[in-house]
């Protein structure tokens, strides 16, 4: 049984049913029934047109369920207009499904879960394991999301930027359990890039590839974090970097700059440097200036302060940092790093320890604690 084939066909089959007028939740149930039937039938009799087979079976399951619901009998005339058997149309409705799953009425966590379920083809159990929550909790989250988008029709273009943010959220979850969400996000973004010609889709795909190329070097054998400057660049995936840079260059050539393209440009400059000392920090500052103009994000300004500290010296970076709120996540860790670069080890050690208490993850807390201990040992 080709599980990858089923997963790749699931979103387009679901989208066909929704486009024909099926309620999202009912369509999803019907598609799941068709997948179960495929697992039973296909090993002994694989259809020549797998997508068409799934569409036909799922639509019949949907009709059967609808006829059983007496409150919907008035809609039977429309529902009985079953298409004639034959190959499924070549039109790919998956793009509409992306927009539906990233509907603005959904919370980010619900949009992510629904995207993984409907577009990614993951089971509720797999998604729950990836997010380290009970399966029942994830099932409730997905059910609420399906109820929210039920009845939503594709009568206007979807918001590409919302879809991209959902995919970026999936990518940033990384890896846990038996599902590699970073790899899944790349797969889904490739699928989106094939369905829509948009420079920011390409920018996001390039950004994901450039970040993912460094994955093997981000942690030590004991699971500890390895900062970018200390990573073994020989372990970076040069093929993935080359692909990401190529996609980015093609997107930038269209002269429709967006935030994901700008972020990818920063990542490309890091990837291009043979060593940390050879990083083109001046150009990185320029890209952060572009990003700040596009987003006005405090996180962008925080990253820019680091880049300024590298390009113009730590005191220049600290001056940029002074304009940012103390409550900004990771600001204290950045301040500690810049004070260390400036030679103020006592202040840096104190700030590293303070940042460790605020760290969002255990790995980050341990890293910052080690930094504080290292500086305290050097001062003795």
């Amino acid at each position: 049984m080709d599980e990858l084939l089923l997963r790749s066909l699931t979103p387009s089959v679901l989208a066909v049913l929704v486009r024909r007028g099926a309620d999202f939740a009912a369509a999803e149930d019907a598609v799941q029934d068709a997948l179960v039937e495929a697992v039973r039938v296909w090993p002994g009799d694989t259809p020549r047109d797998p997508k068409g087979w799934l569409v036909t079976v799922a639509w019949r399951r949907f009709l059967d369920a609808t006829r059983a619901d007496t409150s919907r009998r008035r809609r039977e005339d429309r529902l009985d207009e079953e298409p004639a058997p034959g190959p499924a149309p070549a039109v790919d409705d998956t793009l509409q499904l992306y927009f539906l799953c990233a509907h603005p009425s959904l919370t980010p966590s619900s949009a992510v879960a629904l995207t993984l379920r409907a577009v990614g083809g993951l089971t509720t159990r797999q998604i729950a394991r990836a997010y380290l929550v009970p399966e029942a909790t994830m099932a409730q989250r997905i059910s609420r999301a399906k109820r929210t988008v039920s009845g939503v029709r594709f009568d206007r273009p979807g918001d590409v930027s919302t879809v991209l943010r959902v995919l970026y959220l999936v990518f940033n979850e990384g890896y846990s359990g038996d599902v590699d969400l970073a790899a899944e996000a790349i797969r889904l973004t490739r699928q989106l890039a094939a369905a829509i010609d948009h420079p920011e889709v390409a920018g996001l795909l390039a950004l994901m590839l450039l970040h993912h190329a460094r994955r093997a070097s981000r942690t030590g054998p004991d699971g500890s974090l390895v900062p970018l400057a200390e990573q073994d660049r020989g372990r970076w995936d040069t093929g993935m970097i080359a692909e990401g840079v190529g996609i980015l260059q093609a997107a930038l050539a269209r002269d429709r700059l967006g935030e994901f393209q700008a972020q990818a440009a920063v990542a490309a400059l890091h990837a291009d440097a043979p060593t940390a000392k050879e990083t083109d920090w001046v150009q990185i500052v320029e890209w952060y200036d572009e990003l700040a103009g596009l987003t006005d994000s405090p996180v962008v300004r925080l990253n820019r302060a680091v880049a300024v500290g590298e390009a113009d010296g730590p005191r220049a970076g600290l001056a940029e940092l002074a304009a940012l709120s103390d409550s900004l996540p990771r600001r204290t860790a950045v301040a500690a790093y810049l004070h260390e670069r400036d030679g103020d080890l006592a202040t840096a050690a104190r700030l590293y320890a303070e940042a460790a208490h605020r760290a969002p993850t255990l790995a980050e807390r341990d890293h910052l604690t080690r930094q504080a201990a290292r500086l305290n040992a050097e001062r003795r």
Side-chain angles (χ1 to χ4, degrees), residues 316-380:
L318 286 167
E320 295 287 336
L321 198 63
L324 302 179
S325 169
D326 290 339
S327 63
L328 185 63
R330 296 186 173 88
R331 181 191 184 281
T332 305
V334 170
Y337 172 74
L338 292 172
H339 276 291
E340 180 184 356
R341 290 271 328 279
D342 195 38
D344 186 352
L345 302 189
T347 300
R350 175 178 58 80
L351 290 173
Y352 275 131
E354 183 181 330
H357 287 295
R358 301 180 181 180
T361 67
L362 180 60
E364 195 170 335
R365 186 193 70 188
D366 290 346
H367 171 71
L368 293 167
T369 300
R370 283 193 297 270
Q371 296 294 83
R374 174 179 57 80
L375 291 186
N376 284 326
E378 289 180 11
R379 292 170 51 225
R380 291 185 187 137

Side-chain angles (χ1 to χ4, degrees), residues 274-342:
T275 66
K277 290 183 179 180
E278 296 173 87
T279 303
D280 189 345
W281 287 106
V282 173
Q283 196 171 349
I284 287 176
V285 171
E286 293 174 357
W287 276 112
Y288 275 126
D289 288 339
E290 294 281 0
L291 259 174
L294 290 166
T295 69
D296 194 32
S297 162
V299 174
V300 169
R301 294 201 295 271
L302 180 66
N303 290 331
R304 183 183 182 279
V306 175
V308 168
E310 299 288 356
D312 301 329
R315 294 192 180 183
L318 286 167
E320 295 287 336
L321 198 63
L324 302 179
S325 169
D326 290 339
S327 63
L328 185 63
R330 296 186 173 88
R331 181 191 184 281
T332 305
V334 170
Y337 172 74
L338 292 172
H339 276 291
E340 180 184 356
R341 290 271 328 279
D342 195 38

Side-chain angles (χ1 to χ4, degrees), residues 86-373:
V91 174
D92 186 359
D93 296 291
T94 307
L95 180 60
Q96 302 282 26
L97 199 58
Y98 274 96
F99 292 135
L100 185 63
C101 293
H103 196 269
S105 60
L106 295 173
T107 63
S109 61
S110 294
V112 166
L114 193 58
T115 297
L116 289 172
R117 182 80 169 93
V119 185
L122 300 183
T123 66
T124 303
R125 177 174 295 179
Q126 286 175 315
I127 301 170
R129 286 179 177 173
Y131 281 90
L132 304 178
V133 299
E135 185 176 353
T137 300
M138 184 56 68
Q140 291 177 347
R141 184 180 300 175
I142 293 172
S143 294
R144 285 196 299 269
K146 288 195 289 187
R147 286 197 299 271
T148 299
V149 299
S150 289
V152 174
R153 300 301 299 272
F154 298 140
D155 54 357
R156 56 183 176 143
D159 183 1
V160 175
S161 64
T162 303
V163 174
L164 295 181
R165 293 190 186 285
V166 169
L167 291 173
Y168 195 42
L169 285 173
V170 175
F171 179 79
N172 284 328
E173 291 297 333
Y175 175 84
S176 60
D178 59 351
V179 178
D180 185 341
L181 289 179
E184 184 65 18
I186 291 173
R187 185 183 74 83
L188 295 177
T189 307
R190 284 189 191 279
Q191 188 180 51
L192 182 62
I196 183 172
D197 182 20
H198 194 293
E200 271 293 81
V201 177
L204 178 59
L205 179 56
L207 177 63
M208 289 178 175
L209 291 170
L210 289 164
H211 279 318
H212 205 55
R214 303 198 301 259
R215 175 173 172 169
S217 63
R218 286 201 187 104
T219 56
D222 59 353
S224 60
L225 290 180
V226 179
L228 177 60
E230 300 172 18
Q231 290 176 12
D232 179 359
R233 297 182 181 224
R235 301 183 66 195
W236 290 1
D237 188 329
T238 55
M240 194 175 292
I241 289 173
E243 183 187 4
V245 169
I247 292 171
L248 173 63
Q249 289 174 337
L252 291 175
R254 301 178 65 176
D255 199 24
R256 289 170 54 195
L257 184 64
E259 61 177 294
F260 289 119
Q261 294 169 73
Q263 287 187 54
V266 172
L269 287 167
H270 283 299
D272 186 55
T275 66
K277 290 183 179 180
E278 296 173 87
T279 303
D280 189 345
W281 287 106
V282 173
Q283 196 171 349
I284 287 176
V285 171
E286 293 174 357
W287 276 112
Y288 275 126
D289 288 339
E290 294 281 0
L291 259 174
L294 290 166
T295 69
D296 194 32
S297 162
V299 174
V300 169
R301 294 201 295 271
L302 180 66
N303 290 331
R304 183 183 182 279
V306 175
V308 168
E310 299 288 356
D312 301 329
R315 294 192 180 183
L318 286 167
E320 295 287 336
L321 198 63
L324 302 179
S325 169
D326 290 339
S327 63
L328 185 63
R330 296 186 173 88
R331 181 191 184 281
T332 305
V334 170
Y337 172 74
L338 292 172
H339 276 291
E340 180 184 356
R341 290 271 328 279
D342 195 38
D344 186 352
L345 302 189
T347 300
R350 175 178 58 80
L351 290 173
Y352 275 131
E354 183 181 330
H357 287 295
R358 301 180 181 180
T361 67
L362 180 60
E364 195 170 335
R365 186 193 70 188
D366 290 346
H367 171 71
L368 293 167
T369 300
R370 283 193 297 270
Q371 296 294 83

